[in-house]
Amino acid sequence: MDQLHCPPSAHQVSSAEVRIGPMRLTQDPIQVLLIFAKEDSQSDGFWWACDRAGYRCNIARTPESALECFLDKHHEIIVIDHRQTQNFDAEAVCRSIRATNPSEHTVILAVVSRVSDDHEEASVLPLLHAGFNRRFMENSSIIACYNELIQIEHGEVRSQFKLRACNSVFTALDHCHEAIEITSDDHVIQYVNPAFERMMGYHKGELLGKELADLPKSDKNRADLLDTINTCIKKGKIHKIHRDSGDNSQTEPHSFRYKNRRKESIDVKSISSRGSDAPSLQNRRYPSMARIHSMTIEAPITKVINIINAAQENSPVTVAEALDRVLEILRTTELYSPQLGTKDEDPHTSDLVGGLMTDGLRRLSGNEYVFTKNVHQSHSHLAMPITINDVPPCISQLLDNEESWDFNIFELEAVTHKRPLVYLGLKVFTRFGVCEFLNCSETTLRAWFQVIEANYHSSNAYHNSTHAADVLHATAFFLGKERVKGSLDQLDEVAALIAATVHDVDHPGRTNSFLCNAGSELAVLYNDTAVLESHHTALAFQLTVKDTKCNIFKNIDRNHYRTLRQAIIDMVLATEMTKHFEHVNKFVNSINKPMAAEIEGSDCECNPAGKNFPENQILIKRMMIKCADVANPCRPLDLCIEWAGRISEEYFAQTDEEKRQGLPVVMPVFDRNTCSIPKSQISFIDYFITDMFDAWDAFAHLPALMQHLADNYKHWKTLDDLKCKSLRLPSDS
């Protein structure tokens, strides 16, 4: 027999308060409908989960009683047993419920059978097409069922409740006696109320999706009527509400501004309800809007927009239109990223930008990329130095030249059997007095370098400990430049050297985009945002503090440690390329330009490199590690060519793996069979390197590096002009 009943009231059922913008709403207790042909542990799990959550629950055994119950109760959540087909067709039940009007705001969950390890997981698309919102893998645990229901309540159910509440706003607008028009940020009409229709003489269907100025000329919108409308807008008689596009997800309340047709937006004016002296609901709401806009909590960009808005008030039409364009640009999220041409114009640049400056495409299901950490590398064939003075002579002689920019890191890699970081690190850290600053022994420092280097992957063509040593070498070189040295404190220097050492630890030899597309554990952990850079910093600190033998921070006080840690994290995160242009532009505007003005004898009183300006020190440190990280094109030609070959090989390997796994190919031009390495280097230098190093050279004075950059660029251009796709001309190989 069919059963419909509710669980005992073990928990008090109460209403919840929900806020949407200025509205405060009360949500009644959630109602859940379980559709199971037979009682089993799974239905019991959801039953007691509803009881625990304080939900009202009904159980239906047949499709007919389920539909009848739903039409009576209008449940927010429906759980349908999709495991067995002999009792009823779960998808048919779902479709029959979806055919009713109340189901528009209902979340329907399908309970499916677990998939054995030797079977491929089925696609969710058939469930979605049938009308289900979610899939629940069979699990009779009460806490598992409870967690699922709670997530649905705070996710889809809460969102649907807010959407229903928005309907009341439109009902109020429909009954308003004053004309109201809502437009997109490019002036396309999205809503008009009946008062607006009456005033304009058009029906809603003739207005929606059009700009008012684009309507056919007739008596309905003759010039004097349009002038009258604009006058009314200025006086607050007609309310033109601008719906800011903002984030594509539209999760935040829209901004409402009353607009002059000539302008993008102006300040909100207080408006009184027409035709009534009695206080109305509208009158009571307007002061709240005024208070919101009088708040003093303003972001700098808001102040800029308000200044431009004010300037538009008395500006000629041409100036106001130009300022409109300025406002459009300011409201974009990518303020610092230059706009590229089409992919066909420069595929190498497009692929580099796509691969290095994005966090990947939408993840594909079923592909999981997990890399193994190379934590316990064995290097028994090479004895470790007990102190810096015990370094073998062949290594010591190479390190005598480590302060030179032309230092050959590959010779050190060879003689140390791919362990250059420990040896170069000990030498550089000793030169900068790092042990003294951290109050740690050289034994502890040596153990720390061993642990960090062991967690770099020697199997990577490029992102290995040799790259880390190269970046450390470049950072130390930059720290020796007069203006850099005079701008930073010793804590900044120590933080920069440590950041350079750990900045790519445990790098898998794949880009962030690859990890996001592959659904890697790290991409999930860090929400597809700065995945590798977040991992490098987190792992570096984990490795350091987990063992007192290698904990170089164990003897410094808490405040110093927090400051040092924050500086290291900030620098490593700055190596992530999605904010490349933001970092470079901030450096140019905050450091280069004030410095140039000062040199030219202007009245600028700022000291861009002064120690009293922490924000300037942060910009300098970010720029320094960014330049050190990609300094390969500024190395002597032989070193530049070797690095170009290594990074190309790593990208080739990624493309190979993407094709094997059926993942999106992030950088298609890096196909080992067709790629032109000279073209890729030219694009990289043009797009990322030239402007950044021009800015860094203007600050740090690096003529030798800029000469190498010019020479190397000429080398790649010559190869490209000769249609050569390799690192060198065949005759030079």
Side-chain angles (χ1 to χ4, degrees), residues 340 342-356 667-670 674-684 687-688 720 725:
L340 292 178
T342 64
K343 186 177 178 68
D344 292 338
E345 292 174 4
D346 189 352
H348 289 80
T349 301
S350 296
D351 283 0
L352 283 168
V353 172
L356 300 178
M667 296 181 284
V669 296
F670 283 97
T674 59
C675 180
S676 168
I677 295 178
K679 280 188 184 297
S680 69
Q681 287 296 306
I682 291 168
S683 295
F684 183 67
Y687 196 73
F688 292 106
D720 186 46
K725 295 184 176 183

PDB file of all heavy atoms in Angstrom, residues 340 342-356 667-670 674-684 687-688 720 725:
ATOM      1  N   LEU A 340      44.889  40.814 -27.407  1.00  0.00           N
ATOM      2  CA  LEU A 340      45.588  40.183 -28.525  1.00  0.00           C
ATOM      3  C   LEU A 340      44.732  40.219 -29.773  1.00  0.00           C
ATOM      4  O   LEU A 340      43.512  40.372 -29.713  1.00  0.00           O
ATOM      5  CB  LEU A 340      45.894  38.723 -28.184  1.00  0.00           C
ATOM      6  CG  LEU A 340      46.914  38.485 -27.065  1.00  0.00           C
ATOM      7  CD1 LEU A 340      47.039  36.997 -26.848  1.00  0.00           C
ATOM      8  CD2 LEU A 340      48.247  39.086 -27.407  1.00  0.00           C
ATOM      9  N   THR A 342      43.635  38.045 -33.344  1.00  0.00           N
ATOM     10  CA  THR A 342      43.074  36.703 -33.468  1.00  0.00           C
ATOM     11  C   THR A 342      44.188  35.670 -33.413  1.00  0.00           C
ATOM     12  O   THR A 342      45.363  35.979 -33.624  1.00  0.00           O
ATOM     13  CB  THR A 342      42.320  36.548 -34.798  1.00  0.00           C
ATOM     14  OG1 THR A 342      43.264  36.677 -35.878  1.00  0.00           O
ATOM     15  CG2 THR A 342      41.249  37.616 -34.930  1.00  0.00           C
ATOM     16  N   LYS A 343      43.805  34.443 -33.129  1.00  0.00           N
ATOM     17  CA  LYS A 343      44.776  33.354 -33.039  1.00  0.00           C
ATOM     18  C   LYS A 343      45.502  33.148 -34.364  1.00  0.00           C
ATOM     19  O   LYS A 343      46.687  32.816 -34.375  1.00  0.00           O
ATOM     20  CB  LYS A 343      44.062  32.072 -32.602  1.00  0.00           C
ATOM     21  CG  LYS A 343      44.990  30.910 -32.333  1.00  0.00           C
ATOM     22  CD  LYS A 343      44.204  29.720 -31.838  1.00  0.00           C
ATOM     23  CE  LYS A 343      45.108  28.526 -31.598  1.00  0.00           C
ATOM     24  NZ  LYS A 343      46.013  28.721 -30.495  1.00  0.00           N
ATOM     25  N   ASP A 344      44.789  33.394 -35.454  1.00  0.00           N
ATOM     26  CA  ASP A 344      45.410  33.206 -36.765  1.00  0.00           C
ATOM     27  C   ASP A 344      46.548  34.200 -36.992  1.00  0.00           C
ATOM     28  O   ASP A 344      47.504  33.904 -37.700  1.00  0.00           O
ATOM     29  CB  ASP A 344      44.367  33.359 -37.874  1.00  0.00           C
ATOM     30  CG  ASP A 344      43.351  32.213 -37.847  1.00  0.00           C
ATOM     31  OD1 ASP A 344      43.707  31.151 -37.290  1.00  0.00           O
ATOM     32  OD2 ASP A 344      42.242  32.392 -38.359  1.00  0.00           O
ATOM     33  N   GLU A 345      46.448  35.389 -36.387  1.00  0.00           N
ATOM     34  CA  GLU A 345      47.479  36.400 -36.594  1.00  0.00           C
ATOM     35  C   GLU A 345      48.789  35.987 -35.933  1.00  0.00           C
ATOM     36  O   GLU A 345      49.861  36.189 -36.466  1.00  0.00           O
ATOM     37  CB  GLU A 345      47.008  37.748 -36.035  1.00  0.00           C
ATOM     38  CG  GLU A 345      45.856  38.354 -36.827  1.00  0.00           C
ATOM     39  CD  GLU A 345      45.326  39.612 -36.155  1.00  0.00           C
ATOM     40  OE1 GLU A 345      45.914  40.034 -35.138  1.00  0.00           O
ATOM     41  OE2 GLU A 345      44.332  40.168 -36.640  1.00  0.00           O
ATOM     42  N   ASP A 346      48.728  35.449 -34.733  1.00  0.00           N
ATOM     43  CA  ASP A 346      49.944  35.046 -34.030  1.00  0.00           C
ATOM     44  C   ASP A 346      49.636  33.852 -33.133  1.00  0.00           C
ATOM     45  O   ASP A 346      49.387  34.004 -31.941  1.00  0.00           O
ATOM     46  CB  ASP A 346      50.488  36.213 -33.199  1.00  0.00           C
ATOM     47  CG  ASP A 346      51.873  35.898 -32.617  1.00  0.00           C
ATOM     48  OD1 ASP A 346      52.319  34.735 -32.744  1.00  0.00           O
ATOM     49  OD2 ASP A 346      52.494  36.801 -32.046  1.00  0.00           O
ATOM     50  N   PRO A 347      49.614  32.643 -33.699  1.00  0.00           N
ATOM     51  CA  PRO A 347      49.250  31.470 -32.900  1.00  0.00           C
ATOM     52  C   PRO A 347      50.230  31.196 -31.769  1.00  0.00           C
ATOM     53  O   PRO A 347      49.838  30.685 -30.729  1.00  0.00           O
ATOM     54  CB  PRO A 347      49.247  30.328 -33.934  1.00  0.00           C
ATOM     55  CG  PRO A 347      50.100  30.820 -35.064  1.00  0.00           C
ATOM     56  CD  PRO A 347      49.904  32.304 -35.100  1.00  0.00           C
ATOM     57  N   HIS A 348      51.521  31.524 -31.959  1.00  0.00           N
ATOM     58  CA  HIS A 348      52.500  31.266 -30.903  1.00  0.00           C
ATOM     59  C   HIS A 348      52.192  32.103 -29.676  1.00  0.00           C
ATOM     60  O   HIS A 348      52.193  31.590 -28.543  1.00  0.00           O
ATOM     61  CB  HIS A 348      53.919  31.551 -31.404  1.00  0.00           C
ATOM     62  CG  HIS A 348      54.410  30.553 -32.400  1.00  0.00           C
ATOM     63  ND1 HIS A 348      54.041  30.592 -33.739  1.00  0.00           N
ATOM     64  CD2 HIS A 348      55.223  29.472 -32.266  1.00  0.00           C
ATOM     65  CE1 HIS A 348      54.626  29.569 -34.371  1.00  0.00           C
ATOM     66  NE2 HIS A 348      55.339  28.888 -33.510  1.00  0.00           N
ATOM     67  N   THR A 349      51.935  33.388 -29.882  1.00  0.00           N
ATOM     68  CA  THR A 349      51.615  34.251 -28.745  1.00  0.00           C
ATOM     69  C   THR A 349      50.311  33.820 -28.096  1.00  0.00           C
ATOM     70  O   THR A 349      50.210  33.744 -26.865  1.00  0.00           O
ATOM     71  CB  THR A 349      51.519  35.724 -29.195  1.00  0.00           C
ATOM     72  OG1 THR A 349      52.772  36.115 -29.763  1.00  0.00           O
ATOM     73  CG2 THR A 349      51.192  36.624 -28.016  1.00  0.00           C
ATOM     74  N   SER A 350      49.303  33.522 -28.914  1.00  0.00           N
ATOM     75  CA  SER A 350      48.012  33.104 -28.366  1.00  0.00           C
ATOM     76  C   SER A 350      48.156  31.845 -27.520  1.00  0.00           C
ATOM     77  O   SER A 350      47.570  31.735 -26.440  1.00  0.00           O
ATOM     78  CB  SER A 350      47.014  32.859 -29.502  1.00  0.00           C
ATOM     79  OG  SER A 350      46.746  34.046 -30.196  1.00  0.00           O
ATOM     80  N   ASP A 351      48.930  30.882 -27.997  1.00  0.00           N
ATOM     81  CA  ASP A 351      49.106  29.645 -27.243  1.00  0.00           C
ATOM     82  C   ASP A 351      49.888  29.878 -25.959  1.00  0.00           C
ATOM     83  O   ASP A 351      49.587  29.296 -24.912  1.00  0.00           O
ATOM     84  CB  ASP A 351      49.823  28.596 -28.101  1.00  0.00           C
ATOM     85  CG  ASP A 351      48.883  27.954 -29.114  1.00  0.00           C
ATOM     86  OD1 ASP A 351      47.700  28.339 -29.123  1.00  0.00           O
ATOM     87  OD2 ASP A 351      49.322  27.095 -29.885  1.00  0.00           O
ATOM     88  N   LEU A 352      50.918  30.742 -26.013  1.00  0.00           N
ATOM     89  CA  LEU A 352      51.682  31.047 -24.808  1.00  0.00           C
ATOM     90  C   LEU A 352      50.804  31.712 -23.767  1.00  0.00           C
ATOM     91  O   LEU A 352      50.851  31.377 -22.582  1.00  0.00           O
ATOM     92  CB  LEU A 352      52.879  31.949 -25.143  1.00  0.00           C
ATOM     93  CG  LEU A 352      54.082  31.256 -25.785  1.00  0.00           C
ATOM     94  CD1 LEU A 352      55.062  32.289 -26.318  1.00  0.00           C
ATOM     95  CD2 LEU A 352      54.774  30.346 -24.773  1.00  0.00           C
ATOM     96  N   VAL A 353      49.993  32.662 -24.215  1.00  0.00           N
ATOM     97  CA  VAL A 353      49.097  33.353 -23.291  1.00  0.00           C
ATOM     98  C   VAL A 353      48.075  32.373 -22.728  1.00  0.00           C
ATOM     99  O   VAL A 353      47.811  32.344 -21.528  1.00  0.00           O
ATOM    100  CB  VAL A 353      48.390  34.533 -23.986  1.00  0.00           C
ATOM    101  CG1 VAL A 353      47.325  35.128 -23.078  1.00  0.00           C
ATOM    102  CG2 VAL A 353      49.399  35.596 -24.372  1.00  0.00           C
ATOM    103  N   GLY A 354      47.517  31.542 -23.594  1.00  0.00           N
ATOM    104  CA  GLY A 354      46.539  30.569 -23.132  1.00  0.00           C
ATOM    105  C   GLY A 354      47.126  29.566 -22.163  1.00  0.00           C
ATOM    106  O   GLY A 354      46.478  29.163 -21.200  1.00  0.00           O
ATOM    107  N   GLY A 355      48.371  29.178 -22.420  1.00  0.00           N
ATOM    108  CA  GLY A 355      48.997  28.172 -21.568  1.00  0.00           C
ATOM    109  C   GLY A 355      49.551  28.714 -20.277  1.00  0.00           C
ATOM    110  O   GLY A 355      49.571  28.028 -19.259  1.00  0.00           O
ATOM    111  N   LEU A 356      50.024  29.981 -20.296  1.00  0.00           N
ATOM    112  CA  LEU A 356      50.707  30.526 -19.123  1.00  0.00           C
ATOM    113  C   LEU A 356      49.860  31.489 -18.314  1.00  0.00           C
ATOM    114  O   LEU A 356      50.120  31.692 -17.131  1.00  0.00           O
ATOM    115  CB  LEU A 356      51.992  31.254 -19.561  1.00  0.00           C
ATOM    116  CG  LEU A 356      53.024  30.395 -20.295  1.00  0.00           C
ATOM    117  CD1 LEU A 356      54.204  31.250 -20.710  1.00  0.00           C
ATOM    118  CD2 LEU A 356      53.480  29.236 -19.421  1.00  0.00           C
ATOM    119  N   MET A 667      48.556  24.274 -25.623  1.00  0.00           N
ATOM    120  CA  MET A 667      49.440  25.033 -26.516  1.00  0.00           C
ATOM    121  C   MET A 667      49.713  24.210 -27.777  1.00  0.00           C
ATOM    122  O   MET A 667      50.762  23.563 -27.893  1.00  0.00           O
ATOM    123  CB  MET A 667      50.747  25.381 -25.786  1.00  0.00           C
ATOM    124  CG  MET A 667      50.544  26.291 -24.590  1.00  0.00           C
ATOM    125  SD  MET A 667      52.089  26.740 -23.746  1.00  0.00           S
ATOM    126  CE  MET A 667      52.436  25.228 -22.861  1.00  0.00           C
ATOM    127  N   PRO A 668      48.791  24.236 -28.717  1.00  0.00           N
ATOM    128  CA  PRO A 668      48.916  23.381 -29.914  1.00  0.00           C
ATOM    129  C   PRO A 668      50.195  23.623 -30.716  1.00  0.00           C
ATOM    130  O   PRO A 668      50.674  22.703 -31.378  1.00  0.00           O
ATOM    131  CB  PRO A 668      47.679  23.745 -30.742  1.00  0.00           C
ATOM    132  CG  PRO A 668      46.703  24.290 -29.760  1.00  0.00           C
ATOM    133  CD  PRO A 668      47.521  24.985 -28.720  1.00  0.00           C
ATOM    134  N   VAL A 669      50.740  24.844 -30.674  1.00  0.00           N
ATOM    135  CA  VAL A 669      51.945  25.084 -31.485  1.00  0.00           C
ATOM    136  C   VAL A 669      53.136  24.288 -30.956  1.00  0.00           C
ATOM    137  O   VAL A 669      54.108  24.065 -31.688  1.00  0.00           O
ATOM    138  CB  VAL A 669      52.318  26.583 -31.542  1.00  0.00           C
ATOM    139  CG1 VAL A 669      51.242  27.384 -32.231  1.00  0.00           C
ATOM    140  CG2 VAL A 669      52.631  27.134 -30.167  1.00  0.00           C
ATOM    141  N   PHE A 670      53.069  23.850 -29.679  1.00  0.00           N
ATOM    142  CA  PHE A 670      54.179  23.065 -29.135  1.00  0.00           C
ATOM    143  C   PHE A 670      53.969  21.582 -29.419  1.00  0.00           C
ATOM    144  O   PHE A 670      53.867  20.749 -28.523  1.00  0.00           O
ATOM    145  CB  PHE A 670      54.354  23.339 -27.635  1.00  0.00           C
ATOM    146  CG  PHE A 670      55.028  24.640 -27.356  1.00  0.00           C
ATOM    147  CD1 PHE A 670      54.291  25.765 -27.053  1.00  0.00           C
ATOM    148  CD2 PHE A 670      56.410  24.754 -27.442  1.00  0.00           C
ATOM    149  CE1 PHE A 670      54.908  26.984 -26.821  1.00  0.00           C
ATOM    150  CE2 PHE A 670      57.038  25.969 -27.217  1.00  0.00           C
ATOM    151  CZ  PHE A 670      56.284  27.092 -26.905  1.00  0.00           C
ATOM    152  N   THR A 674      55.970  19.807 -35.473  1.00  0.00           N
ATOM    153  CA  THR A 674      55.715  20.986 -36.314  1.00  0.00           C
ATOM    154  C   THR A 674      56.191  22.296 -35.710  1.00  0.00           C
ATOM    155  O   THR A 674      56.226  23.312 -36.396  1.00  0.00           O
ATOM    156  CB  THR A 674      54.203  21.115 -36.588  1.00  0.00           C
ATOM    157  OG1 THR A 674      53.511  21.234 -35.333  1.00  0.00           O
ATOM    158  CG2 THR A 674      53.679  19.902 -37.351  1.00  0.00           C
ATOM    159  N   CYS A 675      56.563  22.303 -34.450  1.00  0.00           N
ATOM    160  CA  CYS A 675      56.849  23.563 -33.742  1.00  0.00           C
ATOM    161  C   CYS A 675      58.092  24.271 -34.281  1.00  0.00           C
ATOM    162  O   CYS A 675      59.116  23.649 -34.560  1.00  0.00           O
ATOM    163  CB  CYS A 675      57.032  23.309 -32.249  1.00  0.00           C
ATOM    164  SG  CYS A 675      57.403  24.803 -31.299  1.00  0.00           S
ATOM    165  N   SER A 676      57.971  25.585 -34.386  1.00  0.00           N
ATOM    166  CA  SER A 676      59.130  26.433 -34.680  1.00  0.00           C
ATOM    167  C   SER A 676      59.597  27.041 -33.368  1.00  0.00           C
ATOM    168  O   SER A 676      58.948  27.939 -32.823  1.00  0.00           O
ATOM    169  CB  SER A 676      58.756  27.543 -35.670  1.00  0.00           C
ATOM    170  OG  SER A 676      59.794  28.505 -35.738  1.00  0.00           O
ATOM    171  N   ILE A 677      60.710  26.546 -32.842  1.00  0.00           N
ATOM    172  CA  ILE A 677      61.225  27.076 -31.576  1.00  0.00           C
ATOM    173  C   ILE A 677      61.597  28.552 -31.707  1.00  0.00           C
ATOM    174  O   ILE A 677      61.296  29.343 -30.803  1.00  0.00           O
ATOM    175  CB  ILE A 677      62.413  26.227 -31.077  1.00  0.00           C
ATOM    176  CG1 ILE A 677      61.932  24.806 -30.737  1.00  0.00           C
ATOM    177  CG2 ILE A 677      63.077  26.870 -29.866  1.00  0.00           C
ATOM    178  CD1 ILE A 677      63.024  23.870 -30.291  1.00  0.00           C
ATOM    179  N   PRO A 678      62.253  28.991 -32.801  1.00  0.00           N
ATOM    180  CA  PRO A 678      62.538  30.430 -32.929  1.00  0.00           C
ATOM    181  C   PRO A 678      61.275  31.291 -32.852  1.00  0.00           C
ATOM    182  O   PRO A 678      61.273  32.327 -32.184  1.00  0.00           O
ATOM    183  CB  PRO A 678      63.203  30.533 -34.302  1.00  0.00           C
ATOM    184  CG  PRO A 678      63.853  29.204 -34.507  1.00  0.00           C
ATOM    185  CD  PRO A 678      62.902  28.223 -33.890  1.00  0.00           C
ATOM    186  N   LYS A 679      60.195  30.873 -33.508  1.00  0.00           N
ATOM    187  CA  LYS A 679      58.951  31.662 -33.446  1.00  0.00           C
ATOM    188  C   LYS A 679      58.426  31.735 -32.015  1.00  0.00           C
ATOM    189  O   LYS A 679      57.951  32.789 -31.566  1.00  0.00           O
ATOM    190  CB  LYS A 679      57.880  31.045 -34.352  1.00  0.00           C
ATOM    191  CG  LYS A 679      58.017  31.379 -35.831  1.00  0.00           C
ATOM    192  CD  LYS A 679      56.809  30.892 -36.607  1.00  0.00           C
ATOM    193  CE  LYS A 679      56.970  31.124 -38.106  1.00  0.00           C
ATOM    194  NZ  LYS A 679      57.062  32.551 -38.448  1.00  0.00           N
ATOM    195  N   SER A 680      58.486  30.613 -31.302  1.00  0.00           N
ATOM    196  CA  SER A 680      57.975  30.616 -29.927  1.00  0.00           C
ATOM    197  C   SER A 680      58.811  31.533 -29.045  1.00  0.00           C
ATOM    198  O   SER A 680      58.270  32.248 -28.187  1.00  0.00           O
ATOM    199  CB  SER A 680      57.964  29.193 -29.358  1.00  0.00           C
ATOM    200  OG  SER A 680      59.276  28.712 -29.143  1.00  0.00           O
ATOM    201  N   GLN A 681      60.122  31.554 -29.242  1.00  0.00           N
ATOM    202  CA  GLN A 681      60.988  32.437 -28.457  1.00  0.00           C
ATOM    203  C   GLN A 681      60.743  33.903 -28.804  1.00  0.00           C
ATOM    204  O   GLN A 681      60.715  34.769 -27.927  1.00  0.00           O
ATOM    205  CB  GLN A 681      62.457  32.074 -28.689  1.00  0.00           C
ATOM    206  CG  GLN A 681      62.889  30.776 -28.030  1.00  0.00           C
ATOM    207  CD  GLN A 681      62.793  30.843 -26.513  1.00  0.00           C
ATOM    208  OE1 GLN A 681      63.351  31.738 -25.877  1.00  0.00           O
ATOM    209  NE2 GLN A 681      62.064  29.897 -25.933  1.00  0.00           N
ATOM    210  N   ILE A 682      60.574  34.192 -30.070  1.00  0.00           N
ATOM    211  CA  ILE A 682      60.288  35.573 -30.500  1.00  0.00           C
ATOM    212  C   ILE A 682      58.990  36.059 -29.860  1.00  0.00           C
ATOM    213  O   ILE A 682      58.919  37.176 -29.331  1.00  0.00           O
ATOM    214  CB  ILE A 682      60.205  35.650 -32.040  1.00  0.00           C
ATOM    215  CG1 ILE A 682      61.592  35.435 -32.661  1.00  0.00           C
ATOM    216  CG2 ILE A 682      59.633  36.998 -32.485  1.00  0.00           C
ATOM    217  CD1 ILE A 682      61.560  35.212 -34.165  1.00  0.00           C
ATOM    218  N   SER A 683      57.961  35.221 -29.889  1.00  0.00           N
ATOM    219  CA  SER A 683      56.671  35.601 -29.300  1.00  0.00           C
ATOM    220  C   SER A 683      56.802  35.813 -27.799  1.00  0.00           C
ATOM    221  O   SER A 683      56.248  36.767 -27.242  1.00  0.00           O
ATOM    222  CB  SER A 683      55.615  34.532 -29.586  1.00  0.00           C
ATOM    223  OG  SER A 683      55.358  34.438 -30.968  1.00  0.00           O
ATOM    224  N   PHE A 684      57.525  34.924 -27.136  1.00  0.00           N
ATOM    225  CA  PHE A 684      57.700  35.036 -25.685  1.00  0.00           C
ATOM    226  C   PHE A 684      58.433  36.329 -25.327  1.00  0.00           C
ATOM    227  O   PHE A 684      58.040  37.047 -24.401  1.00  0.00           O
ATOM    228  CB  PHE A 684      58.471  33.814 -25.166  1.00  0.00           C
ATOM    229  CG  PHE A 684      58.645  33.798 -23.671  1.00  0.00           C
ATOM    230  CD1 PHE A 684      57.544  33.644 -22.837  1.00  0.00           C
ATOM    231  CD2 PHE A 684      59.898  33.942 -23.103  1.00  0.00           C
ATOM    232  CE1 PHE A 684      57.703  33.627 -21.446  1.00  0.00           C
ATOM    233  CE2 PHE A 684      60.059  33.928 -21.725  1.00  0.00           C
ATOM    234  CZ  PHE A 684      58.956  33.763 -20.898  1.00  0.00           C
ATOM    235  N   TYR A 687      56.141  39.439 -26.134  1.00  0.00           N
ATOM    236  CA  TYR A 687      54.924  39.605 -25.332  1.00  0.00           C
ATOM    237  C   TYR A 687      55.212  39.742 -23.838  1.00  0.00           C
ATOM    238  O   TYR A 687      54.571  40.538 -23.148  1.00  0.00           O
ATOM    239  CB  TYR A 687      53.991  38.421 -25.572  1.00  0.00           C
ATOM    240  CG  TYR A 687      52.578  38.677 -25.108  1.00  0.00           C
ATOM    241  CD1 TYR A 687      51.739  39.538 -25.817  1.00  0.00           C
ATOM    242  CD2 TYR A 687      52.074  38.078 -23.960  1.00  0.00           C
ATOM    243  CE1 TYR A 687      50.442  39.780 -25.397  1.00  0.00           C
ATOM    244  CE2 TYR A 687      50.778  38.317 -23.530  1.00  0.00           C
ATOM    245  CZ  TYR A 687      49.967  39.170 -24.254  1.00  0.00           C
ATOM    246  OH  TYR A 687      48.683  39.415 -23.826  1.00  0.00           O
ATOM    247  N   PHE A 688      56.169  38.978 -23.325  1.00  0.00           N
ATOM    248  CA  PHE A 688      56.406  38.962 -21.888  1.00  0.00           C
ATOM    249  C   PHE A 688      57.701  39.655 -21.443  1.00  0.00           C
ATOM    250  O   PHE A 688      57.745  40.246 -20.366  1.00  0.00           O
ATOM    251  CB  PHE A 688      56.438  37.514 -21.372  1.00  0.00           C
ATOM    252  CG  PHE A 688      55.119  36.807 -21.434  1.00  0.00           C
ATOM    253  CD1 PHE A 688      54.878  35.831 -22.378  1.00  0.00           C
ATOM    254  CD2 PHE A 688      54.104  37.120 -20.545  1.00  0.00           C
ATOM    255  CE1 PHE A 688      53.660  35.172 -22.438  1.00  0.00           C
ATOM    256  CE2 PHE A 688      52.888  36.465 -20.590  1.00  0.00           C
ATOM    257  CZ  PHE A 688      52.657  35.495 -21.538  1.00  0.00           C
ATOM    258  N   ASP A 720      64.357  32.367 -37.827  1.00  0.00           N
ATOM    259  CA  ASP A 720      62.984  32.412 -38.332  1.00  0.00           C
ATOM    260  C   ASP A 720      62.944  32.914 -39.777  1.00  0.00           C
ATOM    261  O   ASP A 720      62.183  32.385 -40.600  1.00  0.00           O
ATOM    262  CB  ASP A 720      62.138  33.314 -37.431  1.00  0.00           C
ATOM    263  CG  ASP A 720      60.669  33.283 -37.811  1.00  0.00           C
ATOM    264  OD1 ASP A 720      60.133  32.172 -38.019  1.00  0.00           O
ATOM    265  OD2 ASP A 720      60.057  34.363 -37.916  1.00  0.00           O
ATOM    266  N   LYS A 725      63.390  25.860 -37.943  1.00  0.00           N
ATOM    267  CA  LYS A 725      62.528  25.644 -36.784  1.00  0.00           C
ATOM    268  C   LYS A 725      63.275  25.136 -35.560  1.00  0.00           C
ATOM    269  O   LYS A 725      62.683  24.964 -34.500  1.00  0.00           O
ATOM    270  CB  LYS A 725      61.413  24.648 -37.137  1.00  0.00           C
ATOM    271  CG  LYS A 725      60.438  25.163 -38.191  1.00  0.00           C
ATOM    272  CD  LYS A 725      59.312  24.167 -38.406  1.00  0.00           C
ATOM    273  CE  LYS A 725      58.277  24.717 -39.400  1.00  0.00           C
ATOM    274  NZ  LYS A 725      57.139  23.771 -39.567  1.00  0.00           N
TER     275      LYS A 725
END
